[in-house]
Amino acid sequence: MKFAIASLAHETNTYAVDVTGYTERHHFDVKCGNELLRFAGMRTFLGGMIDECNRRGIEIVPIFSAFAPPSGIIKTDVYLEFREAILKGLRDNPDIDALVLEIHGAGVADGFPDMEGDLITAIREVVGPTLPVTAALDLHGNISLAMTTQFTALFGNHLYPHTDSADRGAEAVSAAVDALNATTKPVTELVSLPILLQASTTDEGFPAAEMNKICSTIESRPGVIDCTVFHGFPFTDTADVGVHVVCTTDNDRTLAKECANEVAQWIWDSRERFTTESHTPDSAMLVAASLIAGGKRPIVINDTSDNPGGGTPGDGTHLLGAMLEHQIPGSAFAMLCDPIAVKEAISAGVGNSIELTIGGRHGPLHGPPLKVQAKIRTISDGRIFLTHMMRGYPLNVGPAVGIRVGEVDVILTSQPSQTFDSEIFKLHGIDTSECSVVGLKSSAHFRAGFNHIAAEILCADSPGLTTLDVTNFTHAAFTGKLWPTDPNTEWTHS
Ligand SMILES: [Zn+2]
């Protein structure tokens, strides 16, 4: 057997265009041909696909991959170039038995609001209607009918943090094998809900964990291949925004529809429970101080409103400002993206103190720039390997520095990134398990890397491009009402 693999993955925050502009060619990490095989062994979608092909003795035809961190709308010519790279790879390899694709599901290019729907339509024009084309994708995908009717099957993350990406990649390969051998004839039904879901971790004790249990019970029913809830990406103004239940069965559309409706009804009835408990940055610091006084540490506080993992600039200062004001000894914060401040700190040199202005360079939404007296403690190249979510993935946040402001350690980077685990702290000589407060930018992925060390986790929300308050965003491209923006939104299953 000969399987082509390819990837085009971007989570597009359409509102970010006003803050950080469009997403350009240079934002993407592009790999061609055999370069894709470097992902082998990583706990990522491509890693899982490659490992599963190798395990089954399937010959891999690696075509193309392009990935950029979440950001604004992709420029039209950039998307068209990437689409053509994939299509050319397919035209050049007419003897493949299947295509296994990594996508995100919430990609938007200028003029292509349903980017993945357009991509699969273009792929079908090359490979025809019957070649197995499966995909592994993010649970924040805004799933369209163009996708569910044209992919042979879709395998979305079940978990948030997405620690199961490699498993879903492997599943996409297995499903393509089964479709090819005619062991199964996958059919997929989509049921969409008019809900803008806040960041909802699937960790034990949260409602999304219960939702997953219902899906796994359904998956154990005879004939069901996959049942997944896509939380959707609320920071996108497209016609397909919302929560989506996707169920794939072995040639039984009625069963697929019934199962998807069953899960969708549970979500609709439970929607109020998905409201995440949060603090303001200041109230989070007050709670942290009293927990620390009671002997608990470290207290992990996540800045969910400026989460570069959702397309924000990563230089927001709402939480960091509160940490600097409260000055709890042993506090540490990572990462604040500010390449200008990094350069200044590097020229000042380790051991010296300088006045620095940090953060807040993209307008007032994410907080003002902060003027600080900073002692330069460490300088690094900002290269780490992730240890929990996406384990093994090499993350490069560019030149970085560790500074101390009063009692607080702050790590400044040249590229925005959410904080997945403690590696960026370690790189700058900070042991997070010894900290009093660990402040970071992330909505839920950090949990995979911090649950085991945190005495307590507090979520700090404030204005921002990924605030929990999804009602701040206007969804002009969506037809109808959306909950909770319009509390009178109604839904009944078809
Ligand atoms: Zn996601």
Side-chain angles (χ1 to χ4, degrees), residues 11 138 140 162 445:
E11 183 178 72
D138 196 288
H140 292 107
H162 307 334
H445 288 332

